[in-house]
Structures are given as structure tokens and as C-alpha cells.
């Protein structure tokens, strides 16, 4: 067969560079103790930070909504796919993060691409942190504005670019970086944006449910819509469901409804997904212990990892990466952990910069201290010192 794109060769190169990716088969609900590829495993790689993805109340809410609204939404929001339960979720989300309005998107990827490409036009500038999520970079590419990336969490690098920017300027950053776990200097970034009359968009995919008592980075820092005009949160991570939303002042949301193509030209999420998210918001608020327990487990893990002298990256969030640099080393350690029954993601380029392969350990309120003790034991046996990686 002809292969004008040389796929076979490109796949082989990936294999040789230890960059080939494979999917595992999950055979249970998403939770701490899972069944995967025919084995019982302890899961340290999901983003279900509060253990809500399998909660019975979330499941019941989805079932009840299916009884009332059926399963499929049947159309886009602007045609006839926008149900009462979607609308109620938008109102609850806006209220919860402290914004005037919120707008549901089917995924976080689509929210990011939709917002940036709707606001920014040819001649405008988008300034992004080098380590921003791929969807934020893709949104800027699609917008035809000029994309410039500043050094990671480096306010002076941002300032330099702000001084040279032409046209209207949008500054975009993750709050909690998805592969690093560190938090952007949001207060400094926000002040700089205000000084330069630029708008700031914050992607809080890994902050919502974790920072600000669960309400995310706006609550954590007490930001107003003047300080953070565009807020994006995802529902598929700490909230345990699916989808995303953008929050801000009324004109922003109305403008996005008119012009964000990934909002307009796609089918609305099933109403049962919105109902499940309402239930998960209720749980998060009524059972604040989840957010608190996650905080305690993070501290517990960090203390144990430090005692073992593991090369952890500096992070105070649920994402605790162990830096191994080399892709082959990352694979080797994650395979060693897997043999002991622990599932930890080996994150390699191009998801992270060259020579910064790592294990991305994620913690959840669904874990117990015992789970973490067991992981630490396994890490100390499989870690760099013992496998002569560094
Ligand atoms: C996961 C993620 C997204 C995408 O959200 P989905 O709902 O999974 O499409 C966007 N930004 C960041 C920082 C993420 O981690």
C-alpha cells in the first residue's frame, strides 16, 4: 500500500525514541483502586482529585435527568440543545466562582480554542506562558493573532513582551500547570495586564476543586472580573464529570455566544452530564472535607517523598511530578511501579519540553494515607538511586 505520509516510518521513530504512546483498558469506575488490563491497580494518574467521578449521588443525578430529558441533547445550544438543566448549571457555576455569567462548553479544549479565536483577530497579540496547555496554544494559532510565549512563570519576560505588543493584547496562563503542578504568579500577572491594558485569561482546569476551598483560583486570591476578565474551568477533573465553562462579565459571555465557533457549531453536552455536575457541586459544598482531605494528603505525600530524597518538582497541588529527564528512564520507573501494582503516568515530550520526562503522580481525596505509604515504598525501591538513572 502506498504511504505518502510515511506513517510506518514515523511510528517506528517514535518507538525508538521511547515516545510511543499506548492506551490502557480501564475495567472499573474511575477511582483510587481500579481494575485495569485485567489487574487490580492503585491509581495515581487520574485528575479526579476529589473522588467524585464514581460518587453514587452523581450517578443518580445523571440517571434521573436521563428519565426527564432523555440521553442525547439533539442539537447545539443555539438551536434547541440548551435545556433547563444546562441553564441551571451555568447559573450555579457563575455564582460559585463569583462571576456575573458562565457559559458551558462541551470540553475544556473547545472552550480554550473557542474563546481565544473569538476574541483575537489579525493584528492582535496573544501572550502565553511557555508551558500552557496545548489547547491554549492551539486557540492562539487558530486566531491569526500573533502568538508569543513568555518564559514559564516569569513576570519580567511577560512584561518585556507586553511593552512590545501590538494591537489588542490577551495574556493567557494556566493557574496550576498541568504537568508541573506549580501555580502561576497570578497577582503579579494580573497587575501587569492592568497596567498595559491587556486582558487576562486564566485556565483553572487543575485549580477548580483544589484551590480557594474548592472554588478555584478566583476565590483563592479574591480576584474581581477587572483583575481576571476571562476565567475557564473544566468539569472533567476535580468535579468528576465532563465539560467546561467560561465565566466573566455579561458582555464577554454574550459575545462568546454570538461568535465562539467551538460553542456554536457543536452539539450541546447531554443534559444528564449537566445534572451530574450540579450534584457534584452540591457534594463539594456540603462535604468540604474532600478538599481538606486532599490538602492533607498532598502534605503527607510531600513529606514522605522529601524524606526519601526523591527528585520531586516544587508543587503544592494535587499534581506531584518526579523529574527523571530521560524518556526511557521515565518509562522504566513507571513500568517498575506497574509491576508492583501502581499506575503512574510517564510524561514525555512533546507533552513536556525535551529532556524533562517525568512521572506525573496525582493525588485524590479518594486515596488513603495507607495508599500513599505503599506508593512511597514502591517509589523508594524503583526510584532513581536504585535504578541508577541519574
Ligand atoms: C484538561 C485540560 C484542558 C482540557 O479540558 P478537557 O475538558 O479535558 O478538554 C484544558 N486546560 C488544561 C490546563 C487542562 O489540564
Amino acid at each position: 500500500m502506498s504511504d505518502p505520509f510515511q506513517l510506518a516510518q514515523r511510528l517506528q521513530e517514535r518507538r525508538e525514541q521511547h515516545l510511543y504512546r499506548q492506551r490502557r483498558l480501564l475495567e472499573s469506575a474511575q477511582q483510587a483502586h481500579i481494575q485495569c488490563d485485567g489487574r487490580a491497580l492503585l491509581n495515581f494518574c487520574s485528575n479526579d482529585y476529589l473522588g467524585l467521578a464514581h460518587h453514587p449521588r452523581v450517578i443518580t443525578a445523571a440517571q434521573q435527568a436521563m428519565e426527564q430529558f432523555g440521553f442525547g441533547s439533539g442539537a447545539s445550544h443555539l438551536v434547541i440543545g440548551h435545556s433547563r438543566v444546562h441553564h441551571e448549571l451555568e447559573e450555579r457555576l457563575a455564582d460559585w466562582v463569583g462571576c456575573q455569567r458562565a457559559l458551558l462548553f462541551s470540553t475544556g479544549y473547545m472552550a480554550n480554542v473557542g474563546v481565544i479565536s473569538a476574541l483575537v483577530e489579525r493584528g492582535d497579540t496573544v501572550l502565553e506562558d511557555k508551558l500552557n496547555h496545548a489547547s491554549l496554544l492551539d486557540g492562539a494559532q487558530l486566531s491569526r493573532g500573533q502568538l508569543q510565549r513568555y518564559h514559564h512563570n516569569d513576570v519580567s519576560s511577560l512584561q518585556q513582551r507586553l511593552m512590545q505588543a501590538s494591537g489588542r493584547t490577551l495574556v493567557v496562563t494556566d493557574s496550576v500547570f498541568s504537568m508541573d503542578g506549580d501555580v502561576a504568579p497570578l497577582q503579579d500577572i494580573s497587575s501587569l495586564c492592568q497596567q498595559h491594558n491587556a486582558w487576562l485569561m486564566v485556565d483553572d482546569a487543575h485549580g477548580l476543586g483544589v484551590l480557594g476551598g474548592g472554588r478555584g483560583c478566583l476565590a483563592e486570591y479574591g480576584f474581581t472580573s477587572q483583575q481576571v476578565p476571562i476565567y475557564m474551568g473544566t468539569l472533567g477533573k476535580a468535579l468528576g464529570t465532563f465539560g467546561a465553562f467560561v465565566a466573566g462579565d455579561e458582555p464577554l459571555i454574550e459575545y462568546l455566544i454570538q461568535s465562539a465557533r467551538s460553542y456554536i457549531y457543536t452539539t450541546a453536552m447531554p443534559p444528564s452530564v449537566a445534572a451530574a455536575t450540579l450534584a457534584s457541586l452540591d457534594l463539594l459544598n456540603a462535604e468540604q472535607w474532600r478538599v481538606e482531605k486532599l490538602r492533607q494528603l498532598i502534605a503527607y505525600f510531600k513529606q514522605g517523598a522529601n524524606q526519601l530524597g526523591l527528585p520531586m518538582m516544587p508543587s503544592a497541588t494535587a499534581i506531584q511530578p518526579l523529574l527523571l529527564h530521560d524518556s526511557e528512564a521515565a518509562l522504566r520507573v513507571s513500568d517498575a511501579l506497574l509491576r508492583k501494582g501502581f499506575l503512574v503516568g510517564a510524561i514525555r515530550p512533546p507533552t513536556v519540553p525535551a529532556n524533562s520526562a517525568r512521572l506525573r503522580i496525582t493525588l485524590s481525596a479518594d486515596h488513603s494515607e495507607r495508599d500513599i505509604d505503599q506508593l512511597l515504598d514502591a517509589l523508594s525501591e524503583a526510584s532513581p538511586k536504585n535504578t541508577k538513572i541519574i
Side-chain angles (χ1 to χ4, degrees):
M1 203 184 78
S2 89
D3 184 4
F5 295 99
Q6 292 162 318
L7 300 186
Q9 185 190 330
R10 281 149 83 171
L11 286 170
Q12 185 54 30
E13 281 165 14
R14 291 226 162 191
R15 280 195 195 90
E16 282 162 10
Q17 293 162 359
H18 307 285
L19 298 178
Y20 200 80
R21 298 160 184 232
Q22 271 166 307
R23 300 168 300 170
R24 301 182 191 290
L25 272 190
L26 179 62
E27 294 152 335
S28 67
Q30 184 63 256
Q31 51 198 359
H33 293 260
I34 55 171
Q35 192 70 24
C36 175
D37 290 333
R39 294 176 61 195
L41 294 176
L42 201 40
N43 178 6
F44 283 99
C45 58
S46 104
N47 302 313
D48 177 29
Y49 302 127
L50 299 176
L52 290 170
H54 68 289
H55 196 286
R57 300 241 298 264
V58 174
I59 297 165
T60 306
Q63 285 167 337
Q64 286 172 349
M66 270 187 258
E67 297 290 327
Q68 186 182 353
F69 292 98
F71 187 72
S73 67
S76 66
H77 284 275
L78 281 170
V79 177
I80 185 58
H82 187 66
S83 68
R84 179 170 297 284
V85 67
H86 290 120
H87 202 72
E88 189 185 335
L89 177 58
E90 289 183 343
E91 289 174 350
R92 283 280 300 282
L93 286 169
D95 186 53
W96 193 54
V97 299
C99 292
Q100 279 179 8
R101 294 273 305 269
L103 185 69
L104 283 176
F105 280 75
S106 293
T107 70
Y109 188 99
M110 293 164 75
N112 284 340
V113 165
V115 170
I116 299 172
S117 64
L119 294 178
V120 174
E121 295 173 357
R122 204 185 292 279
D124 296 336
T125 301
V126 189
L127 301 179
E128 300 212 17
D129 188 290
K130 257 209 152 89
L131 299 187
N132 271 358
H133 190 263
S135 55
L136 294 168
L137 299 165
D138 292 356
Q141 304 277 9
L142 200 63
S143 74
R144 301 173 195 209
Q146 210 209 353
L147 168 63
Q148 285 196 22
R149 299 164 77 178
Y150 57 90
H151 297 306
H152 177 51
N153 281 349
D154 183 337
V155 178
S156 61
S157 165
L158 170 61
Q159 183 169 30
Q160 229 171 31
R161 283 162 180 76
L162 274 168
M163 289 191 303
Q164 290 161 3
S166 59
R168 298 166 297 188
T169 305
L170 181 66
V171 174
V172 188
T173 183
D174 284 17
S175 58
V176 175
F177 285 84
S178 51
M179 298 300 139
D180 299 70
D182 56 348
V183 180
L186 291 173
Q187 285 156 312
D188 292 344
I189 293 176
S190 164
S191 320
L192 260 185
C193 287
Q194 287 179 278
Q195 281 165 33
H196 291 267
N197 193 31
W199 256 18
L200 173 60
M201 171 175 183
V202 177
D203 175 338
D204 204 24
H206 300 277
L208 192 67
V210 178
L211 303 177
R215 286 169 191 259
C217 70
L218 298 182
E220 174 87 21
Y221 299 102
F223 284 134
T224 62
S225 66
Q226 188 76 22
Q227 292 166 303
V228 178
I230 310 172
Y231 176 86
M232 198 287 291
T234 61
L235 308 174
K237 288 168 179 153
L239 285 166
T241 62
F242 184 78
F245 66 102
V246 174
D249 283 350
E250 172 92 19
L252 169 73
I253 300 305
E254 281 301 318
Y255 183 75
L256 292 175
I257 294 173
Q258 314 307 316
S259 48
R261 293 166 68 84
S262 63
Y263 179 77
I264 299 169
Y265 298 107
T266 199
T267 302
M269 67 170 65
S272 57
V273 173
T277 309
L278 281 168
S280 112
L281 275 176
D282 284 340
L283 278 166
L284 206 157
N285 287 319
E287 303 182 1
Q288 271 286 316
W289 62 262
R290 289 168 195 283
V291 180
E292 180 53 27
K293 182 177 173 196
L294 175 63
R295 216 179 52 77
Q296 285 169 7
L297 290 176
I298 294 166
Y300 187 76
F301 173 80
K302 277 173 69 81
Q303 193 191 11
N306 282 341
Q307 275 170 6
L308 291 172
L310 297 173
M312 304 307 298
M313 294 172 65
S315 159
T317 66
I319 302 162
Q320 291 289 324
L322 190 158
L323 189 61
L324 293 170
H325 301 284
D326 180 53
S327 293
E328 192 185 356
L331 275 185
R332 199 160 63 229
V333 179
S334 79
D335 283 347
L337 288 171
L338 187 62
R339 283 195 294 278
K340 295 171 188 286
F342 299 89
L343 195 56
V344 175
I347 310 291
R348 292 156 285 161
T351 305
V352 292
N355 197 35
S356 72
R358 66 199 67 174
L359 296 183
R360 178 177 182 266
I361 299 163
T362 55
L363 303 174
S364 160
D366 208 26
H367 288 127
S368 63
E369 287 192 355
R370 186 159 170 272
D371 294 336
I372 289 179
D373 287 338
Q374 290 179 350
L375 174 68
L376 287 168
D377 282 347
L379 277 171
S380 74
E381 286 165 32
S383 78
K385 277 181 304 220
N386 297 315
T387 48
K388 298 199 175 61
I389 279 159
I390 288 181

